[in-house]
Amino acid sequence: MGRNRRRRQGRSDNASKDDRDDRRPYVLAPKENKLFEEYYQGQGIVPVEEWNDFMDTLRQPLPSTIRITGFRSHAKEMLRILKQEYAAAMSVEVDGRVIQPAKCLSWYPGELAWQLDLARKMIRQDQTLKKLHRFLVQETESGNISRQETVSMIPPLVLDVQPDSKVLDMCAAPGSKTAQLIEFLHADDENGTSGDGFVVANDNDNKRCYLMVHQLSRLLSSNFAVTNMDAANLPKLLLQNENGENQAVKFDRILCDVPCSGDGTLRKNVDAWAKWNPAIGHGLHNLQVRILRRGVEMLAVGGRIVYSTCSFNPVENEAVVAAILRRNKDTMELVDISDRLPGLVRDPGRRVWKVMSKQKEWFEKYEDIPERLRTQITPTSFPPTAEEADHFKLERCIRILPHKQDTGGFFVAVLERKKSPKDVEQNMSSSNDKTAKNDNMTETPSASVSNNDDEVVEEITSGATSAVKRKSDEDDDVCEPMFKKVRHYGYKEDPFIFLKQDDEMWTPVRDFFGIRPDFPFSQLMVRCETGKKRNIYFVSSVVKDLVRQNENKFKFINLGVKILSRSVSKSVECEFRLVQDGLHILYPYITKRIVQVVKEDVVTLLSSENPYITRMSAQAADQLNGIDQGGCVFVYQPEPDLDGPSCRLLICGWKGKVSCRSFIPKSDRGHFLRLCGVELTDKAERTPRSKVPANGSNPDLESEKVAFNEDDTDKPSAEFEDGFDPEDVEMRGAKSGENSELCEDGSEEYSEPVLEPVDTPQIEKSRKKETCVEQDDFETGVNSNNADS
């Protein structure tokens, strides 16, 4: 039997070899779709004289666009670097074409958005753009810029988020728009700790939620939570009011960027050319209506909801908006945003359109549809009557066409709640209709969601119904739906456990770093119930309350910022060290172990793995010698008369017996060095580093080029770059794969092991290597493949 298996395996191997010999290179599908052209020519969305320009633009690659994170203190420095070193110096020739300099998007506030005359693939592959690619990768990972499509930036801008807004993003993944919402939330607070405002980023796809976590965690905000729920059937979120009673949350701002056919993304999604047909829009129309309807129900009076798609199709755009306005008579209205974003070229929404079937049949009204298509095409897919169109004012919607400003296609509609549904019901003239409606609501539970959010019946699973139970007759706004237990799919999340006041972990941390008593200790959180807590996170007070009140019916994926990590060492009395991610939150409360540094010290810390304290400036060395071993904070304060960054720099560090080091992610290391005017070099451009003089000066600073080890992270390294002291054992980290444990989130994190002192010959051999930095320590260089460009 084993012989037969080997024979079959041999035939299989031969067949696979033959297949490999017959392989042909991958050929891109042609960017043609006759049905697409026929459909949109029939709709008249694009003027006849502009049709050729429209189609030619769709066949061209989409330019790359970047956006500087606006709420950080480093934003001005990043804008200066972008203008001086990249925007003006980008006139290069690539594939025989002269690339134009980057241009600022005039309609985006603060000069924070820039468009490059380059496709993403071109940036990633062309060697002449290596410096630009490295800059984009490092700054994106550090959260200082975001690489986002131009038209995708529009919805958060017109949503008008304020620092105290309660914001819901219903279909948030992959998270670029959500990142903008969080930026606006912290517009007046660079520490990422705004008060009552928060963002709930929801998505129905479990895997995409984890991609969104990576995107949003770069912003280091404690005021957002990622949830994994069905947007069309979102349960009510509860929060405690001033009287300590649970009350349903009414959101001030809601972003409803729904799933769509995506024909506005043809410039970057080449496969969509062959797949597009009108039936895709019909299949998504009902889902889009349901999601927007649920968003409207969760909107506060005076609140604003933005509906957007990356589609040109009126069935997915104006038809959905008209269906919601028809359902919410006199309570919702479209907002005129023609005066917003000056410089953005847009077309108004359409009042009239036609419907086409997959068989190329045109219909102008629902009554003309044959019976066989009535399960595919719904009445709400058709345009409103002339009277309704005058009332809805659909021309207030905006449509972005690609050929107007070299962008993708997009649709945006801004709706505002003018009245509560209760107020409208009280003014209904027909009491019979009102009575019949109330009878239907009480006698027959509905599987859909009603207009009145206080009488919401939540559909948890397909075909499931539920009854409504009010907590009290006096408080109509407080109600609890009774529903079957929600079944969550995907990974099982670790619990969110908030520390108690008498927690024994906190006392040594508080005393070691001198944390002030007014620090909001109750907002600290861990992700495991038993055993030693490896990481401690910080969340805002409103997000904490949000989780505690709703964790039984909402699947929370991620929240909080890591501020402390366990780092056990027998020579240090505190078992936790500071973490760079949460340093901006904890620093205002720290009174001990703060080391003031100058620009040269910053470069020394970040260009050398473990520099001796004697290499630091006299001021920094005196401060380091005055504190015990353990974690510390290096602080750079800008001085007008000295050359250096114009913004404050906070660096998480560690003080050993005779040396020090930074605990900082590799992307932040490159960012801080760039702010100091020091450009990184990879293996091909690197020059050997010379011996460190006795006076402690750094010759690499004079050339302002340092080699960068991409493997350096905020975890300890395998060896001291400048040697080690046999008693300075807490600074020697584990080699890759050793002394590693699993964090609460399942990822691998290296611990700081306590190593035994080595023998004298080994010490002497090591000290011979201390006099200079070995070239082999920097063999890795910058890895351009660690982020998508």
Side-chain angles (χ1 to χ4, degrees), residues 409-458:
F410 218 71
F411 174 87
V412 180
V414 183
L415 297 98
E416 186 172 300
R417 180 175 286 285
K418 307 303 294 183
K419 300 177 183 178
S420 170
K422 284 186 177 181
D423 299 335
V424 177
E425 286 185 7
Q426 292 175 358
N427 296 330
M428 290 177 64
S429 59
S430 176
S431 59
N432 293 333
D433 294 343
K434 179 180 177 182
T435 304
K437 180 179 179 180
N438 292 335
D439 291 341
N440 291 334
M441 288 296 297
T442 55
E443 293 178 5
T444 306
S446 174
S448 61
V449 184
S450 67
N451 278 335
N452 188 351
D453 188 52
D454 299 325
E455 297 177 351
V456 166
V457 183
E458 295 168 358

Side-chain angles (χ1 to χ4, degrees), residues 597 601-608 611 616 634 660-662 669:
V597 295
D601 294 329
V602 174
V603 177
T604 300
L605 280 168
L606 301 181
S607 60
S608 302
M616 305 290 284
F634 295 105
C660 58
R661 71 158 294 167
S662 61
R669 178 184 298 231

Side-chain angles (χ1 to χ4, degrees), residues 689-705:
R689 301 186 64 184
S690 59
K691 182 177 178 179
V692 178
N695 60 6
S697 63
N698 191 347
D700 297 309
L701 183 59
E702 298 176 4
S703 63
E704 295 202 332
K705 280 182 177 286

Side-chain angles (χ1 to χ4, degrees), residues 112-154:
L112 295 178
W114 291 73
Q115 183 170 299
L116 314 179
D117 187 25
L118 294 161
R120 296 182 59 162
K121 182 179 179 181
M122 190 181 301
I123 297 175
R124 185 167 55 245
Q125 296 180 351
D126 196 277
Q127 292 299 313
T128 60
L129 302 172
K130 201 170 189 179
K131 179 181 176 182
L132 172 64
H133 180 260
R134 187 188 306 120
F135 166 77
L136 295 177
V137 169
Q138 291 175 353
E139 297 300 342
T140 300
E141 283 298 312
S142 63
N144 292 287
I145 67 172
S146 295
R147 302 161 78 178
Q148 181 180 359
E149 187 177 344
T150 301
V151 291
S152 176
M153 304 177 189
I154 300 173

